[in-house]
Amino acid sequence: MRASRLLSLLLLLQTRGRMTARDLADELEVSVRTVYRDVESLSAAGVPVYADRGPDGGYRLLEGYRTRLTGLTTGEAESLFLSGMPGPASQLGLGDVVAAAELKLMAALPPDLRSRAARIRERFHLDAPGWFRAPDDVPHLQAVADAVWNQQRIRVLYRRWAHPQQVERDLEPIGVVLKAGTWYLIARPHPGAPQDDPPPDTPQAPAAPRTYRVSKILTLQPLPHRFDRPPGFELAAYWDAYAARFEADSYRDQATVRLSPDGLLRAPILLPPVMARAVHDNAGPPDPTGWTTLTLPVESLRHAHVEFLKLGADVEVLAPPPLRAMMTDTARALADRYLH
């Protein structure tokens, strides 16, 4: 355990440069005092690690020092061959690069780890897109990825839901996310470019990052300008917050329903994830007839109408009244269709 932590500390300093004791403690999930002891142990073992004093100080390795020891465990070596994602890598134009990297890694592994890592691909396969949907057409994905990597501004013609549907934007691309087979661009609108009616006489400040669906980019033109990334921006943290906010904003309404025993079993399978989780969380004990009453979040009345129809006669909408009326009208129309 301690040997693994010492190796992790060494690799952190090698890959990130100067780090404070607090930063190291947070990364390694230990106390600052433990970091002090570990640094002393590395120094005693001959590793040239030094402490810089002052407010900008921290620990660092001697300039030019590199360790060739990676200390890959069997599980770590195996897991690397689950992370290649050949489909998404090919979309990004990195398919050959990933294949070459895996080949070099395989050649560098000891024979026993090499054989175990090779078996991973024989037994596990990652397919990112969801069921029953064609993948997005993303002809500009590679250009987007290049702009993100090179911190280069781009000008795009983007198709959105609001009017006017087609808008031109100058963007500073700072990240790309693959979510359930759909690619998203995280970018800041360039403050000097025209946006959606900025307030008059307002100083142009760097805009907050926004999310754009890559398949909605109709044209893309690289611009001869580079930009600085937002200081402290973390793509994973941004995406987690965005996804949570998007989910909460999309399901603002509620519906009260009754589910039969079969409906209670089928709802988590047939309903969208947000509604399915609410079925699990909100379901109380059934009434004497076996039906369960619960409240579910819904995106809109029209959306809820479509989703609840999937459950057929195993659901009864109690509220709101307009949604119950929509279900009643559909039930009458179906009865007229099939009984006459």
Side-chain angles (χ1 to χ4, degrees):
M1 182 70 179
R2 185 165 186 266
S4 176
R5 189 177 68 245
L6 290 173
L7 177 59
S8 296
L9 191 155
L10 174 57
L11 293 176
L12 280 170
L13 293 176
Q14 179 171 297
T15 56
R16 300 190 187 180
R18 182 187 290 110
M19 295 182 68
T20 66
R22 168 50 58 192
D23 291 338
L24 288 167
D26 291 342
E27 287 285 347
L28 299 172
E29 298 182 350
V30 296
S31 67
V32 172
R33 185 178 296 275
T34 298
V35 170
Y36 293 154
R37 289 199 298 265
D38 287 349
V39 169
E40 290 178 359
S41 297
L42 287 176
S43 297
V47 176
V49 56
Y50 294 92
D52 292 330
R53 306 298 179 185
D56 296 326
Y59 292 110
R60 64 181 178 87
L61 295 173
L62 181 67
E63 185 69 27
Y65 175 83
R66 306 287 292 179
T67 177
R68 300 182 62 85
L69 176 64
T70 59
L72 279 178
T73 66
T74 300
E76 291 167 345
E78 293 172 349
S79 67
L80 286 175
F81 291 88
L82 283 176
S83 62
M85 298 191 298
S90 296
Q91 287 183 296
L92 286 170
L94 299 175
D96 293 340
V97 177
V98 170
E102 289 185 351
L103 180 61
K104 292 177 182 178
L105 175 62
M106 185 72 78
L109 291 175
D112 57 334
L113 291 186
R114 189 184 310 154
S115 62
R116 291 179 64 90
R119 289 201 296 270
I120 287 290
R121 186 163 292 160
E122 299 173 356
R123 290 163 170 77
F124 299 95
H125 176 69
L126 177 61
D127 185 12
W131 287 104
F132 310 118
R133 53 172 294 181
D136 280 350
D137 184 19
V138 284
H140 301 293
L141 177 60
Q142 291 188 31
V144 165
D146 287 342
V148 169
W149 183 255
N150 295 311
Q151 296 178 217
Q152 185 174 20
R153 290 179 189 153
I154 57 176
R155 178 168 294 158
V156 301
L157 183 64
Y158 189 76
R159 185 175 69 248
R160 60 179 188 175
W161 293 107
H163 183 79
Q165 286 193 321
Q166 294 188 12
V167 293
E168 188 175 85
R169 293 287 182 264
D170 285 4
L171 303 176
E172 297 178 346
I174 54 180
V176 177
V177 173
L178 176 63
K179 170 69 170 178
T182 300
W183 290 97
Y184 295 92
L185 166 65
I186 314 305
R188 292 188 307 186
H190 178 50
Q195 304 299 332
D196 291 325
D197 300 324
D201 302 324
T202 300
Q204 296 283 2
R210 301 182 186 178
T211 303
Y212 302 84
R213 189 162 173 168
V214 176
S215 62
K216 303 297 183 182
I217 296 177
L218 304 178
T219 64
L220 185 148
Q221 173 190 355
L223 298 176
H225 305 93
R226 300 192 183 277
F227 64 92
D228 295 327
R229 291 177 60 81
F233 177 80
E234 296 183 5
L235 182 60
Y238 168 87
W239 182 258
D240 288 344
Y242 169 81
R245 186 171 63 252
F246 176 81
E247 192 173 90
D249 291 345
S250 296
Y251 287 81
R252 293 184 174 181
D253 296 326
Q254 291 184 329
T256 303
V257 301
R258 294 176 70 235
L259 292 174
S260 72
D262 284 344
L264 196 62
L265 293 176
R266 295 167 55 218
I269 301 172
L270 297 177
L271 297 180
V274 175
M275 300 175 69
R277 287 198 298 269
V279 170
H280 177 271
D281 295 340
N282 300 345
D287 62 23
T289 66
W291 284 60
T292 302
T293 300
L294 64 162
T295 300
L296 301 179
V298 296
E299 186 173 346
S300 65
L301 295 186
R302 185 177 298 276
H303 176 267
H305 174 241
V306 173
E307 297 299 338
F308 289 140
L309 285 177
K310 297 176 183 178
L311 295 170
D314 288 314
V315 62
E316 178 188 1
V317 173
L318 303 178
L323 178 57
R324 182 177 176 89
M326 293 170 68
M327 298 291 290
T328 300
D329 292 343
T330 301
R332 286 173 177 162
L334 288 172
D336 290 343
R337 175 73 64 185
Y338 286 100
L339 295 178
H340 297 90

